[in-house]
Amino acid sequence: MCIFCKIIKGEIPSKKLYEDDDVLAILDISQATKGHTLIMPKKHYENLLEIPSDELRRVMIVAQMVAKKINEVYKPAGINLLNNCGEVAGQSVMHFHTHIIPRYTSSDLKLGFENHMDQYDLDEIQKELKL
Ligand code: AMP
Ligand code: ZN
């Protein structure tokens, strides 16, 4: 059983912020910044590609509730909502979850996008990916 399933079953302690029949929000043990929270479905789905859309909707509604609460109490300068999907993308626990990470300064979390627009053709990519 995965570590988050053990937390959900109460076999491992956690700092719960919110719980209902389908969703659990707990403080991330690493606290990348003060208030860093994880929101997850109670049912085990490996990642963003596996979770059914109705369950994802419930998780995201709770993520917004948590973000609003953090915003009200700690008044961060900003908030990141982050999901790592797959090991290469930084996923270490293979039970879908989204991070809510309050930002107090622009340098308290390292997330950087490099601009590679010179390497790609946006028209071609749009053609390939359009839904
Ligand atoms: P990710 O790397 O996106 O899979 O995120 C997994 C997160 O789970 C990390 O930020 C860990 O700090 C966190 N984590 C791992 N074990 C626990 C635990 N027992 N309680 C709370 N958070 C945990
Ligand atoms: Zn699990």
Side-chain angles (χ1 to χ4, degrees):
M1 196 191 301
C2 92
I3 188 163
F4 287 174
C5 280
K6 287 181 182 164
I7 286 174
I8 289 156
K9 278 196 148 196
E11 292 175 9
I12 292 179
S14 67
K15 298 293 184 197
K16 292 181 186 175
L17 297 188
Y18 175 86
E19 182 174 20
D20 63 27
D21 288 346
D22 306 302
V23 181
L24 177 67
I26 59 168
L27 290 179
D28 189 304
I29 205 162
S30 73
Q31 290 296 284
T33 65
K34 187 180 181 184
H36 179 186
T37 300
L38 302 173
I39 300 95
M40 65 192 74
K42 286 192 168 175
K43 281 195 205 144
H44 182 98
Y45 302 105
E46 182 159 328
N47 60 35
L48 178 67
L49 305 175
E50 301 294 329
I51 183 171
S53 54
D54 60 324
E55 298 232 31
L56 179 62
R57 199 173 290 122
R58 292 177 212 272
V59 169
M60 294 310 289
I61 287 167
V62 175
Q64 187 192 39
M65 285 163 51
V66 167
K68 285 183 171 177
K69 180 74 179 188
I70 291 171
N71 198 46
E72 190 187 305
V73 176
Y74 291 149
K75 302 191 177 6
I79 297 170
N80 283 109
L81 186 156
L82 177 71
N83 167 249
N84 298 325
C85 180
E87 222 172 304
V88 164
Q91 185 175 5
S92 60
V93 178
M94 298 300 159
H95 179 130
F96 175 82
H97 55 280
T98 185
H99 297 253
I100 290 285
I101 309 174
R103 299 296 300 276
Y104 302 96
T105 70
S106 56
S107 59
D108 59 8
L109 189 71
K110 282 182 204 77
L111 279 178
F113 299 113
E114 286 175 22
N115 188 329
H116 293 139
M117 69 179 288
D118 54 330
Q119 295 174 29
Y120 299 110
D121 177 347
L122 291 185
D123 289 333
E124 184 188 321
I125 296 172
Q126 182 189 29
K127 219 179 288 168
E128 288 170 347
L129 296 184
K130 206 161 190 290
L131 298 168

